[in-house]
Amino acid sequence: MTLLTLRPNGAGASTQLSKVGDTANYLCVDETSSDSDTTYVKIVGSEDAAVTGIDLYALPDHSSESGTINSVTAVMVAKYVMRISTGAPRIQVNGTNYGNAAGGLTTSYATYSQTWATNPNSGVAWTWSDIDALQAGCVLTGARRSGDARATQIYIEVDYTEGGGAAFKQ
């Protein structure tokens, strides 16, 4: 099995989070190694209510990879500051967002992920065309009374088995 990692390279279908440390949201979460609080996206709850936002990011197309896709994993490195806040990684396939309900974050940056063995939109095996059309992102909820949820890295891992040459490449 081989792993292909895809990091954001542009804006996607949703930009609801605030950017910190760079000029575009996707640039705040695209680094190979976490830069902690240097660049990140965030949402802060209001005095009266929790506030939720979703960011989605474009990804580069795969290059020469071919073979059978075993699974796709969305990864988010995130934390909360001040009040317990929540978050979860997200993917968008054919205009529909997928991911678990947002869960509690920790006070230090930690890695959160979700894996799909099949395309959640079609229920069948992933294709390379699906991967090229995929968007990745996260949902963050800042708790009531200024809870602050932050994500500093977002990426996709495509686990695949090489082989088959052009016959498997779509």
Side-chain angles (χ1 to χ4, degrees):
M1 288 187 275
T2 305
L3 201 62
L4 169 65
T5 302
L6 301 171
R7 299 183 189 284
N9 69 346
S14 180
T15 306
Q16 299 175 350
L17 303 175
S18 300
K19 61 185 178 297
V20 176
D22 218 316
T23 58
N25 288 33
Y26 78 92
L27 293 172
C28 294
V29 297
D30 68 342
E31 60 268 357
T32 302
S33 298
S34 173
D35 65 7
S36 298
D37 284 329
T38 303
T39 61
Y40 56 92
V41 293
K42 73 174 186 171
I43 195 153
V44 179
S46 75
E47 186 60 30
D48 299 324
V51 177
T52 298
I54 297 174
D55 262 17
L56 291 166
Y57 312 109
L59 300 166
D61 289 349
H62 78 289
S63 54
S64 61
E65 296 82 13
S66 65
T68 302
I69 299 171
N70 303 310
S71 64
V72 171
T73 302
V75 181
M76 168 185 83
V77 177
K79 73 174 186 176
Y80 80 85
V81 176
M82 199 163 141
R83 303 208 185 284
I84 297 175
S85 296
T86 63
R90 286 285 182 269
I91 60 171
Q92 186 179 86
V93 182
N94 293 330
T96 303
N97 294 342
Y98 296 94
N100 288 334
L105 302 175
T106 60
T107 57
S108 297
Y109 280 110
T111 301
Y112 303 88
S113 65
Q114 183 173 356
T115 300
W116 291 267
T118 59
N119 180 328
N121 189 259
S122 65
V124 299
W126 289 98
T127 67
W128 289 105
S129 296
D130 294 336
I131 301 305
D132 292 344
L134 190 65
Q135 290 187 21
C138 66
V139 59
L140 297 176
T141 299
R144 182 174 177 256
R145 298 200 175 156
S146 302
D148 178 339
R150 301 176 180 184
T152 190
Q153 272 185 295
I154 304 287
Y155 55 95
I156 294 292
E157 294 179 331
V158 181
D159 179 328
Y160 68 101
T161 303
E162 293 183 72
F168 284 95
K169 190 172 180 179
Q170 295 186 12

